[in-house]
Amino acid sequence: MNAFKGTGVALITPFHDDHSIDFDSLKRLIDHVVSGGVDYLVVLGTTGEAATLTSAEKKQVLKACLEYNDGRVPVMLGIGGNNTQAVLDEIESTDFYGVAAILSVSPYYNKPSQAGIIAHYTAIADASPVPVVLYNIPGRTMSNMSAATTLKLSHHPNIIGMKEASGNLEQCMQIAAGMPKDFLLLSGDDLMTKALMSVGGSGVISVLANAFPLTFKTLTHGDHSSALEATFSLLELNSLMYLEGNPVGIKNLLLHMGIISSDQVRLPMLRASLELSNQIKAAYQK
């Protein structure tokens, strides 16, 4: 459980201009975040554009991430969806060697009942050979996991935590107040991390940590004043990251930093507009 306290970075998947995977940039990025002090990697999540990767590409990206990381930090793998059986099939066909846990998003589009969400995650947790972290992000799924649902699932022996991106601090507090002592409450919103940790959270799975791992090391492991200062330093850039969708903003920022060679994304996303790119560059240079 301690492996997933602090900062997990939701890794992007870099692409060349022709939309093929840029493995050289991926290696540079992993070296950057690991040397910068992140506690673990999260591979093939939303920020990694898993929704637009083929099954073969997902296997290639996971293999490359495990190879480039070379055991330096734990790896959490994104496996989720709105078809429970398809998720179970993916778990069955995945080689989990080197994978410490999975992150599984609450079913999107279907808008299941809370009982349906519990049944979905119970099936996944029963089938997974590694521990499961829940992921609540109503802005994407159009379905909120209630605190009561999270707390019920928290008692499953193979469910170890929740990435909470509801933006509802009261709901997060309800989870913190009732969860088992070893359950991990992780922020899914970079700017909410300090607040969430103040009520019992264990850290963050971060987008901006792709660019600023040291800032997030301070945010999650520093004292109160340094963590607050780190949070405030992200205010301007964080608001720009999502103006045209994630990971459009973070890829553009990483391009300006020279960590990746292109900010290409896959349709239906488009790379950052010139206006947004200029805004991100100016905020970064500050």
Side-chain angles (χ1 to χ4, degrees), residues 20-35:
S20 62
I21 298 168
D22 181 353
F23 289 101
D24 290 336
S25 288
L26 181 60
K27 185 178 189 305
R28 282 196 301 274
L29 176 63
I30 290 173
D31 287 341
H32 170 69
V33 298
V34 172
S35 64

Side-chain angles (χ1 to χ4, degrees), residues 40-83:
Y40 59 100
L41 308 179
V42 181
V43 180
L44 297 175
T46 305
T47 305
E49 294 179 82
T52 59
L53 296 176
T54 67
S55 295
E57 286 174 329
K58 288 181 183 180
K59 287 179 169 58
Q60 291 168 0
V61 169
L62 175 59
K63 181 180 178 182
C65 287
L66 291 170
E67 178 185 328
Y68 300 153
N69 175 51
D70 195 25
R72 288 178 287 177
V73 295
V75 172
M76 185 182 294
L77 174 64
I79 298 183
N82 65 338
N83 178 341

Side-chain angles (χ1 to χ4, degrees), residues 136 138 144-148 150-151 162-179 183-189 192-193 195-203:
N136 183 38
N144 180 53
M145 290 177 64
S146 70
T150 300
L151 291 174
M162 160 63 92
K163 178 184 176 184
E164 245 292 349
S166 66
N168 184 336
L169 187 57
E170 182 178 352
Q171 176 167 292
C172 294
M173 292 173 69
Q174 290 169 344
I175 295 168
M179 66 189 186
F183 191 74
L184 301 171
L185 180 57
L186 307 170
S187 178
D189 180 334
M192 283 276 286
T193 306
L196 197 64
M197 292 185 71
S198 73
V199 298
S202 299

